[in-house]
Amino acid sequence: MELRHLRYFVAVAEVGSLTVAAKRRLHTAQPSLSRQMSDLEYEVGAQLMVRTARGIELTAAGRVFLDHARLVLAQVEAAREAARRAAEPSKPSFAVGFLTGQEMDWLPEAMRILRDELPNMEVTVSSQYSPQLADALMRGRLDVAFMRPEAQTPDLVYRLVTKEPLVAVLPDDHRLAARDVIDPRDIVGETFVSVSNTAPALRVVINDYLERSKLNITPDHEVDNLAMAMSLIASTRGVAFLPAYARNFMPRSVVSRPLKGDAPTIDLVVGYHKANASPTLKLFLSRVDELITRGRRS
Amino acid sequence: MELRHLRYFVAVAEVGSLTVAAKRRLHTAQPSLSRQMSDLEYEVGAQLMVRTARGIELTAAGRVFLDHARLVLAQVEAAREAARRAAEPSKPSFAVGFLTGQEMDWLPEAMRILRDELPNMEVTVSSQYSPQLADALMRGRLDVAFMRPEAQTPDLVYRLVTKEPLVAVLPDDHRLAARDVIDPRDIVGETFVSVSNTAPALRVVINDYLERSKLNITPDHEVDNLAMAMSLIASTRGVAFLPAYARNFMPRSVVSRPLKGDAPTIDLVVGYHKANASPTLKLFLSRVDELITRGRRS
DNA sequence: GCGGCCCATGCCTCTGAGGCATGGGGTCCA
DNA sequence: TGGACCCCATGCCTCAGAGGCATGGGCCGC
C-alpha cells in the first residue's frame, strides 16, 4: 500500500465514480485507477467499494477505511509541515486563524497578548471558514484558531471564548423590522436564508432552533459566506438567523433584531492541536481568560 | 511522497546507516536507498539527516519527522485492521491482551465478565510486553489490554486496576533471605538485576525507588523477561526488585520478600483506544470495577 | 599514509504505473 | 423491447522510475 492508493481512494470515494475521479481529480486513466483500487482492496484484505453501473458505493469497510485514509493523509501533511518548521528555527512563527468575520472582535486582543513575543517571532494571521480552520490545525498549518467546535476532530482541543446569540437579520423596510424583538414563528411564510455546509456548526444550531420552535421551515437559499447572505437578504427581502457578529457586515439596508425568548447561541472557541508543543501556544493559552474578559461584547 | 519513503526513512533513522538499513532491514541496495532519501528530503523541503563517514545522524527536522512518520505508518496499519474488522461483522471479535504473567490473575475474571458475549463472538487472548500491548491497541489489533500505563500514548485511555507493590526477589539461600523484610540499603554490594527497556514503566519505578532510597546502584544485568530474571537471580545469586505477580514465576530456589517501609508500587491498568467504538468494549469497561473488586489479591 | 567504511553519482535493467482499445453489464428512454 | 449511453474490468503495450552494479570522493582509525 502506498499513499497514492489512499489519495486515489479518497478521491474515488468523494466523487463516487472511477471514471470521473480519474479524469477530473486525479488526471489519470480510468482503467489505471480501476487497477489501483483493486490492488488496494487486495492489500487491505477487504472489499471497499461496490461497483455498479452508476458508479461506485462504499461498503461498510470502505466507509471505515475512508475515515482512516483521510487521517493518514492529513498526518502526512502535518509531518511535512512539522519537519519544515523544525528545519527553520531562525525566527519561530505563530499562526493564528480566525473564523471569517471574527477578526474585528478578536484580532486586537490576540495581538495584545502576543505583544511581548512579536520582536522574536513572526505571527501570521489568516481567516477562513471553521472547517478549514480545523483542517489547518490538524495539518499543523495553524497554531491556534478562533472557530466553531467542529465535530469529529478528536485531536483538537477547544476552549470556550464566548457563546454568541443568533439574531434575526432582515431588510430595514421589512414589515418585521418594526419589531424590537422577532418571534421565530413570524418567519413562517417569509423567504428564509440559511447557511450551507461551509458552516456546519451554525447550520446545526439553526436547524435545532427551528425544530425547538416547532417550525418546519425549508430554507429558500443557502449561502457560503456572510457577504452573500447580506446580498441575498437585501435582494430577495429574506430573513436569516445569524450570529451577532454578522452585524459587522451589514450594509445600510439590512438590520438585525434580537430573537424573542430563549435565543439560540453558538459557541466561539479557541482551538488548537493537542500535540502542538509550541511554547508560544502555551503562553497564549495561559492568557486566554484575560483575552476573553477584555474581548467580550454584549 | 509515498509510504515507501516513510518506511525507508524510519528504518534508516533507527539503524543510523544507509548501507546497513538497505542490506539488513529493507533488502534493497544502498545507492537506491540513498536516492530515495534524497527524494524524500526534496519533497519534504527540509534536510532530515546529516551524512557522515560513520553513517547518518538525524537533524532536528529529521527527529520531528521520524515521530510523525512512525505515527503515519501506525495509522495505516490501523486503517487496514479497521477495514478488515468492518468487513467481517459476521462474528465479531474481541481481542484482549495481557502483560505477560498477568494472565493467571486476570484472565479468569475477564472471561467471566465476557461470559454472556461468548456465544456470539470470538474472544482472542494474547500476552506481550506492555509497550507491544500499547502498540497493538494503537493499531486496532487489541480492544483492551492489562498493561502498564505507557508514556506518549495520547490516544490510549487507562483505567487503574491495581497498584502492585514491588518485592525483592532473591535466591532462597541468600543471606538476605533470612530477613522477613528487605531494607533496600541491604542491596548495596549485591549483584543487582534490573529490567531492560522492554519494560519501561517498571524500569522507571525501580530507578525512582533507588533514587528515593539514595542508592547509587548500577544494575549488573538487565533482563527482557521474567523467566530470564529468575534464571539470572538463581545463577548469579543476584537480587531484583520485581512486581509481586512475579511470584507466579519463581522456581523453588528463588524466594520473595517484602520491601521495608514505603514500598514502591507500579500501576496495572486496563488500556484501550479512545476511538474504539466496540459495544463489547463498552460492556467490558462498565464492569471493570467488578473485575477489579473480585480480582484483587493482597 | 594507507586501508576500510559510508555515501553520492553515473549508467543500466526491469518492474509496475499508466494509457489505449475493447468488451461486458446495467440503466434509461423512446 | 431495443438501442444508446455510461461505468467498470481486462488485455496489451509503453515508459517512468525504483532498484542494482560499478565506481569514486571523503572521512576516520590504525
Side-chain angles (χ1 to χ4, degrees):
Chain A
M1 194 186 317
E2 295 290 359
L3 290 176
R4 178 184 69 250
H5 294 108
L6 304 188
R7 294 191 189 102
Y8 286 359
F9 175 71
V10 169
V12 170
E14 287 177 357
V15 169
S17 157
L18 288 170
T19 306
V20 176
K23 187 176 295 181
R24 304 283 181 74
R25 295 279 289 271
L26 300 170
H27 308 298
T28 187
Q30 175 269 321
S32 170
L33 186 52
S34 179
R35 265 186 285 260
Q36 293 290 312
M37 291 301 93
S38 291
D39 291 347
L40 175 60
E41 283 175 319
Y42 179 80
E43 194 155 344
V44 167
Q47 191 177 0
L48 302 175
M49 63 188 76
V50 173
R51 279 78 161 171
T52 75
R54 296 172 165 283
I56 63 97
E57 292 166 17
L58 293 186
T59 61
R63 286 191 287 276
V64 166
F65 192 78
L66 177 61
D67 288 341
H68 282 271
R70 283 184 171 131
L71 196 58
V72 168
L73 295 175
Q75 285 281 356
V76 166
E77 201 52 37
R80 194 199 320 256
E81 295 286 333
R84 279 205 189 106
R85 290 281 191 84
E88 292 162 10
S90 54
K91 194 175 190 193
S93 69
F94 190 73
V96 187
F98 293 90
L99 176 62
T100 302
Q102 299 280 357
E103 308 90 322
M104 298 180 179
D105 292 340
W106 300 102
L107 177 54
E109 290 307 317
M111 298 308 282
R112 204 184 59 78
I113 283 188
L114 296 171
R115 180 186 302 163
D116 293 337
E117 309 302 311
L118 289 178
N120 304 318
M121 76 170 44
E122 189 173 329
V123 175
T124 62
V125 172
S126 59
S127 67
Q128 285 159 317
Y129 301 130
S130 188
Q132 278 74 44
L133 292 172
D135 190 61
L137 288 169
M138 291 293 291
R139 291 170 180 273
R141 286 203 177 107
L142 285 177
D143 289 292
V144 76
F146 291 76
M147 61 189 289
R148 305 298 180 200
E150 295 295 336
Q152 292 171 0
T153 50
D155 291 327
L156 299 187
V157 180
Y158 298 124
R159 297 270 299 272
L160 184 69
V161 170
T162 185
K163 282 182 175 292
E164 215 173 352
L166 265 59
V167 297
V169 181
L170 65 174
D172 66 353
D173 58 356
H174 195 284
R175 70 179 177 89
L176 292 174
R179 310 281 189 89
D180 288 332
V181 163
I182 303 294
D183 190 310
R185 287 171 297 191
D186 294 329
I187 304 302
V188 175
E190 300 291 339
T191 300
F192 186 65
V193 179
S194 192
V195 297
S196 74
N197 260 334
T198 54
L202 177 55
R203 192 182 163 96
V204 164
V205 171
I206 294 174
N207 290 340
D208 284 351
Y209 179 59
L210 291 176
E211 197 174 324
R212 173 151 68 87
S213 308
K214 293 182 172 40
L215 299 174
N216 189 5
I217 296 181
T218 303
D220 297 283
H221 308 284
E222 288 188 353
V223 295
D224 285 344
N225 59 59
L226 283 174
M228 189 177 294
M230 298 301 171
S231 183
L232 268 172
I233 289 165
S235 64
T236 66
R237 301 186 63 72
V239 182
F241 298 150
L242 296 173
Y245 83 96
R247 291 177 296 203
N248 291 327
F249 291 86
M250 288 191 312
R252 287 179 177 283
S253 62
V254 172
V255 298
S256 68
R257 296 287 183 267
L259 290 168
K260 184 177 183 179
D262 191 13
T265 64
I266 186 167
D267 293 347
L268 181 73
V269 298
V270 154
Y272 59 98
H273 196 297
K274 67 187 184 189
N276 190 335
S278 161
T280 312
L281 175 63
K282 191 165 287 183
L283 165 94
F284 187 90
L285 292 174
S286 72
R287 298 181 68 182
V288 148
D289 288 337
E290 177 186 334
L291 169 145
I292 290 170
T293 301
R294 295 177 58 92
R296 266 180 175 147
R297 287 163 171 71
S298 60
Chain B
M1 195 186 315
E2 294 290 1
L3 289 176
R4 179 185 68 250
H5 294 108
L6 303 188
R7 295 190 188 103
Y8 285 0
F9 175 72
V10 169
V12 170
E14 288 177 356
V15 170
S17 156
L18 288 170
T19 306
V20 176
K23 186 175 296 180
R24 305 281 183 75
R25 296 278 291 270
L26 302 170
H27 309 300
T28 188
Q30 175 269 320
S32 171
L33 185 53
S34 180
R35 264 185 286 260
Q36 292 291 309
M37 291 302 92
S38 291
D39 291 348
L40 175 61
E41 283 176 318
Y42 180 80
E43 194 155 343
V44 168
Q47 191 178 359
L48 302 176
M49 63 189 75
V50 173
R51 280 80 162 168
T52 74
R54 296 174 164 282
I56 63 96
E57 290 167 17
L58 293 186
T59 60
R63 286 191 289 273
V64 166
F65 192 80
L66 177 60
D67 288 341
H68 281 270
R70 283 185 171 129
L71 193 57
V72 168
L73 295 174
Q75 292 273 2
V76 165
E77 201 53 36
R80 192 198 322 255
E81 296 286 332
R84 278 207 187 106
R85 290 285 190 81
E88 291 162 11
S90 55
K91 195 173 187 193
S93 70
F94 190 73
V96 187
F98 292 89
L99 176 62
T100 302
Q102 300 281 358
E103 307 91 324
M104 296 180 180
D105 292 341
W106 301 102
L107 176 54
E109 290 305 320
M111 298 309 282
R112 202 184 60 78
I113 281 186
L114 295 171
R115 182 184 301 163
D116 293 338
E117 309 303 309
L118 289 179
N120 304 319
M121 76 170 43
E122 188 172 331
V123 175
T124 62
V125 173
S126 59
S127 68
Q128 286 159 315
Y129 300 132
S130 187
Q132 279 73 44
L133 292 172
D135 189 61
L137 288 169
M138 292 291 292
R139 292 169 179 273
R141 286 203 177 106
L142 285 178
D143 289 292
V144 76
F146 291 75
M147 60 192 287
R148 304 301 180 199
E150 294 295 336
Q152 291 169 359
T153 49
D155 292 326
L156 299 187
V157 181
Y158 298 124
R159 299 270 299 270
L160 184 69
V161 170
T162 185
K163 283 182 173 296
E164 216 173 351
L166 266 59
V167 295
V169 182
L170 65 171
D172 67 352
D173 60 355
H174 194 282
R175 71 180 178 87
L176 293 174
R179 313 284 188 88
D180 290 330
V181 164
I182 303 293
D183 191 309
R185 288 170 298 188
D186 293 329
I187 305 301
V188 176
E190 301 290 342
T191 301
F192 186 64
V193 178
S194 192
V195 297
S196 74
N197 261 335
T198 54
L202 177 55
R203 191 183 165 96
V204 164
V205 172
I206 294 173
N207 290 340
D208 284 352
Y209 179 59
L210 292 176
E211 196 173 326
R212 172 152 67 86
S213 307
K214 296 183 170 43
L215 297 173
N216 189 3
I217 296 181
T218 303
D220 296 284
H221 308 285
E222 286 185 355
V223 296
D224 285 346
N225 60 60
L226 283 174
M228 188 177 294
M230 298 301 171
S231 183
L232 268 172
I233 289 167
S235 64
T236 65
R237 303 184 60 71
V239 183
F241 298 151
L242 296 174
Y245 82 96
R247 289 178 296 202
N248 291 328
F249 290 87
M250 289 191 313
R252 287 180 178 284
S253 63
V254 172
V255 298
S256 66
R257 295 285 183 267
L259 289 167
K260 185 176 182 179
D262 191 12
T265 65
I266 185 167
D267 293 348
L268 180 73
V269 299
V270 153
Y272 58 97
H273 197 296
K274 67 187 185 189
N276 190 332
S278 161
T280 312
L281 176 62
K282 190 165 287 183
L283 165 94
F284 186 89
L285 294 174
S286 73
R287 297 181 68 181
V288 149
D289 289 337
E290 177 187 332
L291 168 144
I292 291 170
T293 300
R294 294 177 59 93
R296 266 183 175 146
R297 286 163 173 69
S298 57

